[in-house]
Amino acid sequence: MTIRSILIANRGEIAVRIIRAAKALGIRTVQVHSAADADMLAVKLADEAVDIGPPAAAKSYLNVEKIIEAAKAAGVDAIHPGYGFLSENAEFARAVVDAGMIFIGPSADAISLLGDKVAARSVAAKAGVPTVPGSDGRVDDIALARAIIEETGFPAMIKAAAGGGGRGIRIVDTMEDFERQFPQAAAEAKAAFGDGGLYIEKVITKARHVEVQVLGDGENAVHCFERECSLQRRRQKVWEEAPSCRLPDDIRKALCESAVALVKSVGYKGAGTVEYLYDEDVGEFYFIEVNTRIQVEHPVTEMVTGIDLVQEMIRVAGGERLSVTQGDIALSGHAIECRINAEDSAKGFMPAPGTVTKLVEPEGAGIRFDTFLYEGYTVPPFYDSLLGKLIVHAENREDCLKKLKTALSGLKIEGLVTTIPLHLALCRDDAVAKGAFHTRFLEPWLETHFNPQTSSPAKVYEEASS
Amino acid sequence: MSKLEIKSPLPGTFYRKPSPDAASFKEDGAAVTEKETIGLIEVMKSFHEISAGVAGANITFLVDDAEPVIAGQVLAEVEA
């Protein structure tokens, strides 16, 4: 079946991105929105728009019934879930199919299999993908857990099988610590997630976050090389690159091939990302998880491979074979993406929604700004703080950083506070220039190398978010 | 006796309880001190405690739990 119309079950910049891809394919677009999003850019660009409820995401963008109802009423062939919200919700994927439409993503079964951390780990192991040393699945018995931890060593993590997004994790440094924390962790997981199942993983202290973009059509699968996303704050990515500049070629090859083997083993259909930790000191990589959706940072891959990942997702969902073979996909140059958030870095990164009074986007070859902003638009406070993504592509990383500096200086968003100053500071940093960072680099760097005043008017404790 | 207003410093969603199953920070009619928390504002997925900022008796909430608010909106009034 060919897809002639799609409903976009998302908002913000990714909704705009999906509409642009659909328009390029000549597909009719229907945009759902909450009452707080009636004037967002995706609503203006789409052929049709449907109000699906109040501002709270639980009553709009997470409301499966309302979205299916809107899709049926609009008579669309397919639904694109974007990222976050319902994108990795197997029940939603199933409901879309049950209602006679196409879910643009993998099957509900693949989503639930790969979404379960313990199950995904064993899929990876079976496909020959190295996993972080630890328990082979759940450990309910403390004696067995003790034996495993003696093998892996400290520090180690006790993780809730039903956890995720950084929740349900305890780090233990000694056996004594472990003996005390294990029963507590089980009780806590039972209370928090309704499932007391635990597993154990070694802590890789200085790791890079490297992830492989994959595409599958249900039979064949290819990779589009890797992204490096080690610059994170509170487990949220801040800056992403493609390729990972310090990855040796033989490791890149093994890493990318392992991701393809993993998704092929489950007959994966759509775009996906296989995430790894890479331990530079020992040259080993370890599987962490699979994200069964398009990712925020997908544009860096598009810049270095020339593949339109969102268009490819739509075509594959419509029943076409992949338009590229592995041999067609080559790396060209280097790309960096900066996430521009509505946050005040001088006030502990406090979210700062507001009205855009002036917007000047940098232009030029190899510069792309994915956003949903326009002059006069008021960014609502109900959703996440991502305003846009500045992506820059050049022949090599050094030129890319130079071009990024110029592009960041040319990007003017007036009327609200943004994280542009943080990115400019990162551009000027020597360690960043050398690519010498890991997942725990940015937070201490913010303390020692970044200079905002620290006077948050309110105590901030962030929700574990997607 | 005059009424003092407690305004929201931020736009977002106002919560009267620390979590859905918990009791309210302050019941209607209670007395508050300046430093006491009267609710949370969720803005862009992060939560901020809102302290009364004023001391007074017989607090009256003008915004329900889990309701959207704009910056500067009066959340509650107290008698001082």
Side-chain angles (χ1 to χ4, degrees):
Chain A
M1 177 184 177
T2 311
I3 295 172
R4 290 151 304 178
S5 53
I6 64 172
L7 178 138
I8 298 100
N10 214 298
R11 62 176 305 282
E13 67 86 20
I14 194 65
V16 173
R17 170 75 188 87
I18 296 163
I19 290 173
R20 296 225 155 104
K23 284 191 187 284
L25 294 170
I27 291 170
R28 179 172 73 97
T29 51
V30 179
Q31 177 65 49
V32 295
H33 65 87
S34 74
D37 274 342
D39 58 355
M40 72 175 174
L41 186 57
V43 167
K44 295 180 190 292
L45 295 176
D47 297 311
E48 284 169 52
V50 188
D51 185 330
I52 49 160
K59 293 176 182 165
S60 48
Y61 299 107
L62 292 170
N63 188 332
V64 172
E65 223 169 277
K66 280 272 186 170
I67 291 169
I68 300 279
E69 202 179 286
K72 278 180 165 171
V76 296
D77 297 326
I79 297 183
H80 197 304
Y83 53 66
F85 296 121
L86 295 169
S87 60
E88 290 179 284
N89 183 313
E91 293 313 311
F92 178 61
R94 194 165 287 126
V96 172
V97 173
D98 289 349
M101 294 172 286
I102 294 169
F103 177 78
I104 302 177
S107 68
D109 287 344
I111 294 171
S112 45
L113 177 69
L114 297 171
D116 179 316
K117 309 264 157 161
V118 172
R121 191 183 147 98
S122 78
V123 169
K126 259 182 227 154
V129 183
T131 55
V132 180
S135 60
D136 195 16
R138 292 169 183 246
V139 268
D140 300 322
D141 180 43
I142 191 161
L144 187 61
R146 198 181 291 128
I148 291 161
I149 230 158
E150 270 167 3
E151 191 86 359
T152 57
F154 293 98
M157 278 188 286
I158 305 173
K159 290 176 144 184
R167 296 196 308 153
I169 297 175
R170 284 171 184 238
I171 294 175
V172 292
D173 294 310
T174 61
M175 195 49 98
E176 201 186 4
D177 212 9
F178 163 77
E179 298 278 354
R180 197 181 64 248
Q181 302 246 23
F182 189 84
Q184 287 177 17
E188 191 183 78
K190 177 92 178 101
F193 312 113
D195 174 358
L198 300 175
Y199 64 105
I200 287 164
E201 261 177 27
K202 183 180 164 62
V203 175
I204 314 288
T205 41
K206 268 196 181 175
R208 286 170 176 271
H209 175 114
V210 180
E211 57 184 35
V212 178
Q213 176 69 53
V214 290
L215 284 169
D217 61 17
E219 281 176 32
N220 196 18
V222 295
H223 69 79
C224 305
F225 295 95
E226 83 285 359
R227 294 184 286 262
E228 152 94 51
C229 318
S230 298
L231 292 177
Q232 303 184 1
R233 182 181 164 271
R234 298 194 173 182
R235 293 175 187 271
Q236 301 295 313
K237 296 163 187 166
V238 166
W239 157 307
E240 300 101 341
E241 307 191 14
S244 175
C245 66
R246 303 231 294 205
L247 200 65
D249 283 342
D250 57 330
I251 291 180
R252 170 171 299 117
K253 186 167 184 286
L255 181 83
C256 293
E257 284 175 358
S258 82
V260 172
L262 193 162
V263 294
K264 260 190 185 167
S265 78
V266 296
Y268 196 84
K269 190 171 179 175
T273 296
V274 185
E275 296 192 333
Y276 298 86
L277 288 177
Y278 174 58
D279 187 337
E280 202 169 22
D281 296 340
V282 296
E284 302 271 358
F285 59 85
Y286 308 103
F287 166 81
I288 11 178
E289 64 181 33
V290 183
N291 294 321
T292 55
R293 53 170 163 84
I294 192 74
Q295 302 226 157
V296 175
E297 60 272 24
H298 75 275
V300 288
T301 298
E302 297 185 324
M303 297 295 250
V304 295
T305 61
I307 294 169
D308 189 309
L309 294 167
V310 181
Q311 286 189 31
E312 196 70 15
M313 279 179 97
I314 298 172
R315 279 195 295 259
V316 166
E320 288 181 33
R321 299 269 74 98
L322 286 172
S323 70
V324 283
T325 63
Q326 192 65 66
D328 299 333
I329 305 169
L331 270 179
S332 162
H334 195 88
I336 300 176
E337 169 182 284
C338 296
R339 296 195 189 191
I340 312 296
N341 293 344
E343 289 170 9
D344 189 346
S345 50
K347 291 181 182 166
F349 291 88
M350 178 138 118
T355 302
V356 181
T357 52
K358 191 174 178 199
L359 176 65
V360 181
E361 300 183 26
E363 281 170 20
I367 298 175
R368 167 173 167 184
F369 186 52
D370 280 21
T371 189
F372 65 116
L373 299 182
Y374 57 86
E375 284 183 6
Y377 176 65
T378 299
V379 179
F382 309 110
Y383 312 103
D384 73 36
S385 58
L386 182 68
L387 297 173
K389 307 174 309 201
L390 180 64
I391 309 111
V392 166
H393 180 229
E395 257 180 54
N396 56 55
R397 190 167 183 272
E398 203 187 333
D399 290 349
C400 193
L401 277 167
K402 274 188 210 146
K403 195 188 268 191
L404 179 59
K405 225 178 281 177
T406 313
L408 278 166
S409 311
L411 174 61
K412 305 269 181 247
I413 304 171
E414 289 175 17
L416 33 79
V417 187
T418 76
T419 52
I420 294 173
L422 164 66
H423 290 294
L424 277 167
L426 284 169
C427 268
R428 292 190 205 104
D429 186 77
D430 286 342
V432 172
K434 289 182 198 130
F437 42 64
H438 51 85
T439 54
R440 296 183 185 185
F441 170 88
L442 186 58
E443 290 188 18
W445 181 91
L446 287 169
E447 301 286 322
T448 54
H449 286 70
F450 188 57
N451 185 29
Q453 302 91 37
T454 44
S455 58
S456 174
K459 191 180 149 204
V460 180
Y461 53 98
E462 280 188 5
E463 191 193 32
S465 56
S466 60
Chain B
M1 193 172 66
S2 63
K3 290 222 173 193
L4 296 176
E5 293 177 336
I6 302 172
K7 289 180 182 171
S8 177
L10 300 160
T13 305
F14 179 65
Y15 295 99
R16 287 188 58 183
K17 304 182 274 191
S19 67
D21 305 325
S24 295
F25 286 104
K26 281 287 161 191
E27 294 302 332
D28 281 289
V32 295
T33 61
E34 272 182 53
K35 287 190 173 157
E36 268 185 297
T37 299
I38 62 144
L40 299 174
I41 296 282
E42 180 189 3
V43 50
M44 293 176 153
K45 291 183 168 181
S46 73
F47 289 80
H48 305 263
E49 287 185 353
I50 304 301
S51 51
V54 294
N58 193 20
I59 189 167
T60 311
F61 282 89
L62 305 177
V63 175
D64 287 335
D65 185 47
E67 232 182 75
V69 296
I70 58 168
Q73 188 172 338
V74 179
L75 300 171
E77 289 175 345
V78 292
E79 292 168 2

